[in-house]
Amino acid sequence: MSSTKNKTSFIVLLFIVASMLACNYRSYNQRYKTNPYPIAWDVYGYYLYLPATFIYQDPGLENNKWLDDIHQKYHPSPTVYQYTKGKGNKQVIIYNIGYSFVYAPGFFIAHYLAKSLGFAADGFSKPYQLSLVITAFIFTLIGLFMFRKIALHFFSDKITAMLLIAVIIGTNYFFQVTYNGTMPHNILFTLNCFIIWFTIKWYQEKKPIHIVLLALFLGLASICRPTELIWILLPLFWGVSDKKTGIEKINVLKKHVFQLSVFAILLFFIVCIQLFYLKYATGYFRAFNLHSERFSFFDPYTFQFLFSYKKGWLVYTPIMIFAIMGFYFLRKHYKTIWFPLFLFFAINLYVVSSWECWWYAASFSQRPMVETYCLMLFPMGALFTWILENKNRFLQYLFVVMVSACVALNIFQSWQFLNYIIDPERMTKEYYWKVFGKTSVDNDVRRYLSVDRNQTIFEEYNKYSTLYVMKPLFKQNFEKQLPHINQKYIVDTTAASGKQSFVLNHEQHYSPEFRMNYYSITNKSYLWIRASVNVYLTAPATECNSALVVAVESKGKSIKYLTREIKSLPIQSHTWTPIQLDFLTPEIRHRDDKIIVYYWNMENKPVLIDDLQVEAYEPKIDYK
């Protein structure tokens, strides 16, 4: 529908675009003072395909020189985590290739202009950085106009204007676009708008162009993020609400087998772009997960994902409660579309809340839900329509107040997040209510945050008796014969205490280990583990390098691993020396996660150990 017939929503849209433009300018103007490079962190991984392929002719990242030069000059992240070991000399980018197609137009324009503007044509100088910001913002604008277009197809101009305010300004979409605009979520929001639109158009008109465009956008979204394939549920079940409409749907699809075949072939070939890259870089045709986290489908974190003060979606984006309520009214008044929309919402929520890092790092609210907001307009619009058509004026006024409060709260808490009043990762219930509505926070209040997992030194040890409960967990002095210890490596030539010790050599590189389930020790959110051992070197430390190791293992995979190596210590050979290591546990992911402690001889020269000991320090007060 034209803007002249729907002036209210069009004016609201223009206001939103102007607000986003102003916030984007302020965001990147500030960024240039502190971190002048938006191609950083995860975005660096999404973008890296372009310069690697088109500037350095090195899609396999085999030449470390240019990569090292880029890191030294532009500092995309403190550590290199965006790619890992591949086949042979190749390295594989852990992020999917799809976003590079979105970034590509701006990249090629910047590459064409860089030298003539006096900048290095290296893929990362200021024209490239700026082009990425502009490209992402243009893509965002397209998404906003598509959002309005879809809303007007089902709802009135007034309801569409309300949806624009509620969904775009009243949720973490606004923060994501204005302050993290180069991240993938608003890009996926736009792609998903097109998926919805061309689903609608194909079922209305059955034109081949619509099925082709549907395949292109669904395919592109899928090689941006594999879980986007869930969106296929929309075209698959669109119009199905019961058995009768299901049969009708099958008959419709039978009549258009050729178009469906084109759709399937196009989608397959687009998905193969990612698979071919994996084959090239790793030698395998499979889309395995290259991240340290995994999906935990049999132990999802759905409750925490929705309601946790740490990052709960409905805690920090409460307006979406109305969208969830709206599914009832969607079913009541829009029967032909409610089922695929609710089916997608339920399955997608289950999938994104099954990710082991369910709080999705340093983000405001739950950022993986942002790309679904183009779908949530339907149930929210159904609820808004019901409210406006209701004759109860008190209910209408109350609803307007509640929605306005949610929008205002989102804007204010976004500001709090930007000013580090809301912490990116350490929020707790106690701290949330201490800073609720506050424009500043003192250090005394910050003690209500959860433990800082970046600590490496147990600074509170000197007063642990008042803050912690010490639990002795393990002590092995090798004096008794135990069935799980090979007596061949028990020696009596020397010992730190008693008469016997354990020798590690070219045959035996690992000591007997301590292994215990985390929740057998505590139900608190964290522990300090103190491991200690006495070590005897039979040669200089450079020849006897070895280490005390503490780790947490989850589903057979180490999620945090810390060592204290001999070569880094002032230790003499042929004398017993005590070694100690303090270890703060990471976020525990599953009920069966385990703490492991052992000693590791990395060389072949003999190393003797004695009195391997493990203690746990459990906090008396635990904010979580």
Side-chain angles (χ1 to χ4, degrees):
M1 296 183 183
S2 68
S3 59
T4 55
K5 293 182 180 178
N6 300 283
K7 289 182 178 180
T8 304
S9 64
F10 187 70
I11 291 171
V12 168
L13 180 60
L14 291 180
F15 169 76
I16 290 172
V17 169
S19 301
M20 286 183 173
L21 188 60
C23 290
N24 262 275
Y25 175 78
R26 181 182 181 278
S27 170
Y28 285 101
N29 191 43
Q30 291 290 327
R31 185 190 288 264
Y32 282 118
K33 295 179 182 178
T34 55
N35 176 16
Y37 309 118
I39 304 175
W41 301 98
D42 292 5
V43 174
Y44 173 68
Y46 299 127
Y47 173 83
L48 191 55
Y49 291 95
L50 294 168
T53 303
F54 296 105
I55 296 178
Y56 301 100
Q57 290 76 51
D58 185 25
L61 307 183
E62 297 176 77
N63 180 3
N64 282 321
K65 185 180 184 309
W66 73 267
L67 289 167
D68 293 341
D69 290 344
I70 293 302
H71 271 270
Q72 290 176 14
K73 186 174 182 180
Y74 297 103
H75 313 291
S77 58
T79 59
V80 180
Y81 66 90
Q82 294 88 352
Y83 47 87
T84 187
K85 176 68 177 171
K87 179 180 66 174
N89 293 327
K90 293 184 175 69
Q91 299 181 92
V92 56
I93 300 171
I94 68 173
Y95 295 97
N96 282 58
I97 199 169
Y99 299 109
S100 62
F101 285 86
V102 178
Y103 299 151
F107 167 81
F108 288 120
I109 293 171
H111 190 58
Y112 176 77
L113 295 174
K115 281 187 177 180
S116 61
L117 294 174
F119 294 95
D122 60 1
F124 294 89
S125 60
K126 196 167 184 177
Y128 299 94
Q129 304 279 347
L130 188 59
S131 76
L132 190 69
V133 174
I134 294 172
T135 300
F137 189 73
I138 291 172
F139 214 74
T140 297
L141 295 184
I142 295 170
L144 292 175
F145 279 90
M146 288 303 301
F147 179 93
R148 174 176 176 267
K149 189 180 185 72
I150 293 167
L152 285 172
H153 194 77
F154 288 86
F155 305 109
S156 69
D157 179 47
K158 184 184 290 187
I159 295 295
T160 298
M162 292 174 62
L163 288 171
L164 283 165
I165 295 170
V167 177
I168 304 304
I169 300 181
T171 69
N172 54 324
Y173 175 90
F174 187 80
F175 174 86
Q176 198 64 38
V177 166
T178 52
Y179 296 101
N180 279 316
T182 54
M183 285 289 282
H185 307 285
N186 57 302
I187 291 172
L188 289 173
F189 174 93
T190 298
L191 292 176
N192 294 335
C193 280
F194 281 110
I195 291 171
I196 293 172
W197 180 250
F198 288 115
T199 295
I200 295 168
K201 295 301 288 183
W202 188 78
Y203 277 101
Q204 283 183 339
E205 303 174 18
K206 309 297 189 301
K207 290 182 178 180
I209 185 61
H210 293 147
I211 203 78
V212 167
L213 290 171
L214 178 59
L216 289 174
F217 283 107
L218 181 58
L220 180 55
S222 299
I223 61 173
C224 286
R225 182 162 293 173
T227 53
E228 290 294 294
L229 275 172
I230 301 172
W231 282 89
I232 202 171
L233 293 171
L234 261 66
L236 190 62
F237 291 99
W238 194 263
V240 175
S241 58
D242 51 31
K243 183 177 179 180
K244 180 182 176 182
T245 53
I247 294 171
E248 292 173 354
K249 175 67 172 287
I250 292 172
N251 292 330
V252 168
L253 296 179
K254 283 180 179 179
K255 292 179 181 178
H256 298 87
V257 172
F258 177 75
Q259 289 193 41
L260 295 178
S261 300
V262 171
F263 171 84
I265 292 169
L266 275 174
L267 182 60
F268 172 77
F269 277 110
I270 295 171
V271 170
C272 279
I273 295 172
Q274 181 67 46
L275 300 181
F276 282 132
Y277 169 74
L278 289 171
K279 174 65 175 175
Y280 167 76
T282 69
Y284 298 100
F285 269 128
R286 66 184 187 205
F288 54 83
N289 175 33
L290 296 168
H291 295 266
S292 59
E293 298 92 5
R294 297 168 292 184
F295 284 106
S296 178
F297 292 120
F298 297 105
D299 188 16
Y301 310 92
T302 308
F303 183 84
Q304 299 98 308
F305 185 92
L306 291 174
F307 302 112
S308 168
Y309 281 91
K310 182 181 181 71
K311 201 67 67 74
W313 183 44
L314 299 182
V315 173
Y316 293 95
T317 310
I319 202 166
M320 277 295 143
I321 295 172
F322 297 120
I324 295 173
M325 291 170 53
F327 277 111
Y328 169 81
F329 299 97
L330 192 69
R331 182 180 183 182
K332 191 173 181 180
H333 300 291
Y334 299 86
K335 274 191 174 182
T336 57
I337 62 171
W338 86 271
F339 177 70
L341 297 174
F342 183 76
L343 181 66
F344 170 86
F345 170 77
I347 294 176
N348 182 73
L349 175 63
Y350 167 71
V351 170
V352 297
S353 64
S354 295
W355 189 242
E356 285 183 330
C357 184
W358 57 266
W359 60 97
Y360 290 88
S363 60
F364 176 62
S365 189
Q366 287 292 354
R367 66 187 186 196
M369 295 304 290
V370 166
E371 53 255 39
T372 70
Y373 292 164
C374 53
L375 178 143
M376 300 304 286
L377 76 86
F378 291 96
M380 190 174 281
L383 175 62
F384 285 2
T385 301
W386 179 78
I387 292 291
L388 289 186
E389 291 177 349
N390 196 291
K391 295 181 180 180
N392 188 327
R393 291 295 181 187
F394 174 77
L395 178 63
Q396 290 180 346
Y397 292 141
L398 177 63
F399 185 75
V400 169
V401 169
M402 292 173 67
V403 170
S404 300
C406 286
V407 172
L409 180 65
N410 180 72
I411 294 171
F412 181 71
Q413 290 194 333
S414 297
W415 178 88
Q416 284 186 310
F417 185 90
L418 285 170
N419 288 275
Y420 300 99
I421 297 171
I422 290 180
D423 192 89
E425 296 191 79
R426 297 172 56 202
M427 293 297 293
T428 64
K429 177 182 177 181
E430 292 80 5
Y431 181 79
Y432 178 88
W433 290 111
K434 289 285 183 182
V435 302
F436 187 83
K438 300 291 179 63
T439 57
S440 63
V441 56
D442 56 40
N443 289 330
D444 184 59
V445 173
R446 291 193 182 278
R447 66 189 175 90
Y448 293 99
L449 290 167
S450 67
V451 65
D452 180 3
R453 304 275 178 180
N454 295 316
Q455 294 179 79
T456 57
I457 299 174
F458 189 14
E459 294 179 346
E460 296 173 321
Y461 177 71
N462 60 345
K463 52 181 178 179
Y464 83 84
S465 60
T466 58
L467 301 175
Y468 294 84
V469 175
M470 194 276 279
K471 295 183 176 182
L473 301 180
F474 177 80
K475 185 170 184 179
Q476 178 57 262
N477 57 16
F478 307 105
E479 296 300 315
K480 297 179 181 179
Q481 288 192 3
L482 297 172
H484 64 280
I485 298 179
N486 190 335
Q487 295 301 305
K488 176 182 176 181
Y489 302 103
I490 303 292
V491 297
D492 57 7
T493 53
T494 182
S497 65
K499 298 180 179 179
Q500 298 182 142
S501 57
F502 190 89
V503 63
L504 302 169
N505 53 29
H506 67 284
E507 294 178 343
Q508 181 73 24
H509 286 279
Y510 300 95
S511 75
E513 70 176 17
F514 163 78
R515 177 183 289 262
M516 183 177 285
N517 187 289
Y518 180 89
Y519 286 105
S520 297
I521 305 170
T522 184
N523 62 357
K524 299 294 179 66
S525 67
Y526 75 98
L527 291 170
W528 276 100
I529 300 296
R530 171 160 286 187
S532 60
V533 67
N534 283 307
V535 180
Y536 184 96
L537 305 183
T538 62
T542 53
E543 301 176 33
C544 284
N545 193 33
S546 52
L548 182 59
V549 181
V550 183
V552 169
E553 184 181 273
S554 179
K555 301 296 183 184
K557 187 175 182 180
S558 177
I559 58 173
K560 185 177 180 181
Y561 178 92
L562 195 63
T563 64
R564 190 82 186 272
E565 291 192 33
I566 289 296
K567 69 179 183 181
S568 65
L569 303 173
I571 185 169
Q572 300 294 319
S573 58
H574 299 97
T575 184
W576 284 99
T577 305
I579 304 298
Q580 180 178 287
L581 177 60
D582 290 336
F583 176 92
L584 177 60
T585 55
E587 293 277 352
I588 299 302
R589 298 176 180 178
H590 305 286
R591 296 295 303 179
D592 58 353
D593 286 0
K594 295 174 177 60
I595 295 172
I596 303 169
V597 179
Y598 59 92
Y599 199 82
W600 173 28
N601 184 4
M602 306 174 197
E603 308 293 344
N604 293 323
K605 292 288 180 70
V607 174
L608 284 77
I609 64 168
D610 200 1
D611 302 324
L612 180 60
Q613 185 170 318
V614 183
E615 298 168 342
Y617 293 83
E618 178 187 72
K620 293 180 179 178
I621 300 175
D622 181 24
Y623 298 112
K624 55 184 178 179

